[in-house]
Amino acid sequence: MITLYSEGHHQHHGQAELKDGQLVPCFEKPARADMILAQLREAHLGAIKTPEEVYPEVQSHWQQTLAKVHSQDYIDFLANAWREWSAAGHQHDMLPLAWPPRRTTSIRIPDSLDGRLGYYSFDAGAPINAGTWPAITDTVQVAIAAAELLHRQQSHVFALTRPPGHHAGRDYMGGYCYFNNAAVAAQHLLDRGAQRIALLDVDFHHGNGTQDIFYARDDVLFQSIHGDPRACYPGFTGYADETGEGPGKGFNQNYPLLPGSDWSEWSQALALSIIKINHYAADALVLSLGVDTFEGDPISHFKLKSEDYIKMGQRIAEANIPVVVIMEGGYAVEEIGLNTRNLLIGLMTPPQES
């Protein structure tokens, strides 16, 4: 297995996020990727490459691919936000203070920076600082280069992406996410000739942004196994009756599970998901990997154990299609590397039992 990685993620390190009514240090931090990288090296799971090493063209192509996933006005906002913020004399992180309310007669993009910050956000969990833009654009290139390797007949590729991306919709950020790395990887595979992509999200939290991007499309089958939105973040999407619209009707499937679910419950949802992926006859699988399903995760509520991730990887391998793994959440930093490593080992290991 080849791992794609960029040191550029270190440039983004949020100061604080809002949790339980308080500003607390961000759970999403550079140490997450550092711990994963250390485990990959210790386990000798394969070469670790930069995007430029395997796909030099990514430096000139990434913006075109990104613009097929996110709106250009949103991309432009992120590109210029910190420059505008710092020019106004601010040095602390940018966080929104107002969001568009329901039943607004006409939601327009405000001229003020605070107004635009609220317009392009759905929560106060995605702080912007001086390093955010270079980090998120590096991460997009990691995802595209990983997808390119899959296109070139690699059967398994791991994109060690940070910040994560699955909460980022077509024109909004939130939940630590700015650009949707998994969606960008799927789009690149389609641009390279794939007809059907399956995108499976196994993060504890619903991949609301990915659902938003592909909800009316039939070239990407999106499935998400996650905490029940009645009790779990992000709270407003992820219900089982959200199945797509227009051409995308039937190509969106959510598997909400109750807090406290362990492997026995979780694996049943995965089995249903694999059946649907096989029926779709996808050319490739993009796996949004969050290991915040782990029993010790500080902001999630499932009960998977470290050894369960080996079984998870084996079950996903049963789909028998090429897989590009895109890193999403996981905030038990001491275990994030082990759990990610176990998933990758399982993905490359034939299952011992059905």
Side-chain angles (χ1 to χ4, degrees):
M1 176 177 286
I2 297 177
T3 293
L4 273 295
Y5 171 76
S6 172
E7 287 285 345
H9 78 90
H10 285 105
Q11 298 176 79
H12 173 74
H13 191 176
Q15 296 172 352
E17 63 177 278
L18 187 64
K19 186 178 188 298
D20 299 330
Q22 300 181 68
L23 285 174
V24 300
C26 291
F27 289 96
E28 203 294 301
K29 53 191 174 183
R32 299 175 58 250
D34 296 339
M35 294 295 285
I36 295 170
L37 195 66
Q39 283 284 340
L40 297 181
R41 286 172 169 156
E42 181 180 308
H44 304 289
L45 287 186
I48 299 170
K49 302 285 188 179
T50 66
E52 296 79 10
E53 287 180 281
V54 301
Y55 187 41
E57 297 91 339
V58 72
Q59 293 180 315
S60 57
H61 290 175
W62 67 269
Q63 290 173 300
Q64 295 95 313
T65 308
L66 186 67
K68 295 179 180 180
V69 170
H70 294 289
S71 68
Q72 190 61 53
D73 58 292
Y74 173 62
I75 296 169
D76 292 344
F77 168 75
L78 287 175
N80 296 302
W82 182 257
R83 177 184 56 79
E84 293 184 51
W85 185 253
S86 58
H90 305 304
Q91 294 303 315
H92 52 281
D93 286 359
M94 298 176 65
L95 286 174
L97 54 82
W99 293 268
R102 291 184 295 277
R103 295 180 299 280
T104 299
T105 303
S106 176
I107 298 178
R108 307 176 190 183
I109 302 176
D111 292 335
S112 71
L113 183 55
D114 274 327
R116 281 178 285 141
L117 182 57
Y119 179 85
Y120 291 117
S121 304
F122 75 87
D123 71 359
I128 295 176
N129 53 50
T132 301
W133 177 255
I136 62 179
T137 53
D138 270 16
T139 293
V140 161
Q141 293 175 63
V142 168
I144 292 174
E148 176 65 19
L149 285 181
L150 207 72
H151 166 72
R152 297 179 186 178
Q153 308 304 312
Q154 289 287 332
S155 58
H156 306 98
V157 185
F158 176 45
L160 180 43
T161 44
R162 182 198 163 262
H166 73 145
H167 293 309
R170 177 160 176 76
D171 58 356
Y172 59 78
M173 61 187 178
Y176 311 138
C177 302
Y178 306 85
F179 289 144
N180 196 308
N181 307 308
V184 168
Q187 184 63 55
H188 181 76
L189 289 167
L190 291 167
D191 290 345
R192 295 295 265 167
Q195 299 299 306
R196 294 177 300 278
I197 299 297
L199 204 165
L200 173 60
D201 191 323
V202 298
D203 190 281
F204 172 80
H205 305 97
H206 179 238
N208 61 298
T210 312
Q211 175 171 296
D212 171 56
I213 290 165
F214 295 117
Y215 204 61
R217 291 172 55 169
D218 61 2
D219 52 357
V220 175
L221 172 69
F222 176 63
Q223 300 191 93
S224 180
I225 307 170
H226 52 267
D228 192 319
R230 293 175 298 175
C232 303
Y233 178 93
F236 302 105
T237 63
Y239 292 92
D241 60 0
E242 297 165 3
T243 59
E245 64 184 15
K249 188 68 175 177
F251 294 91
N252 193 94
Q253 182 66 60
N254 290 315
Y255 303 89
L257 301 176
L258 293 175
S261 294
D262 61 11
W263 173 252
S264 62
E265 291 108 354
W266 197 96
S267 61
Q268 292 180 46
L270 179 62
L272 295 173
S273 177
I274 296 299
I275 290 171
K276 197 167 183 71
I277 289 170
N278 289 337
H279 185 263
Y280 183 61
D283 298 313
L285 172 63
V286 177
L287 178 66
S288 270
L289 174 62
V291 294
D292 46 2
T293 48
F294 177 61
E295 61 184 350
D297 195 272
I299 60 173
S300 306
H301 313 289
F302 283 168
K303 298 297 181 184
L304 271 62
K305 301 182 183 300
S306 290
E307 55 267 27
D308 291 333
Y309 293 97
I310 296 177
K311 295 181 286 185
M312 185 188 298
Q314 291 173 335
R315 298 285 177 86
I316 292 169
E318 291 174 3
N320 197 31
I321 56 175
V323 181
V324 57
V325 181
I326 307 292
M327 196 67 208
E328 302 286 2
Y331 307 100
V333 174
E334 293 302 316
E335 293 87 1
I336 187 175
L338 172 63
N339 295 338
T340 302
R341 183 182 77 174
N342 282 354
L343 181 286
L344 298 176
I345 289 172
L347 195 61
M348 297 183 293
T349 305
Q352 301 301 310
E353 57 184 40
S354 62

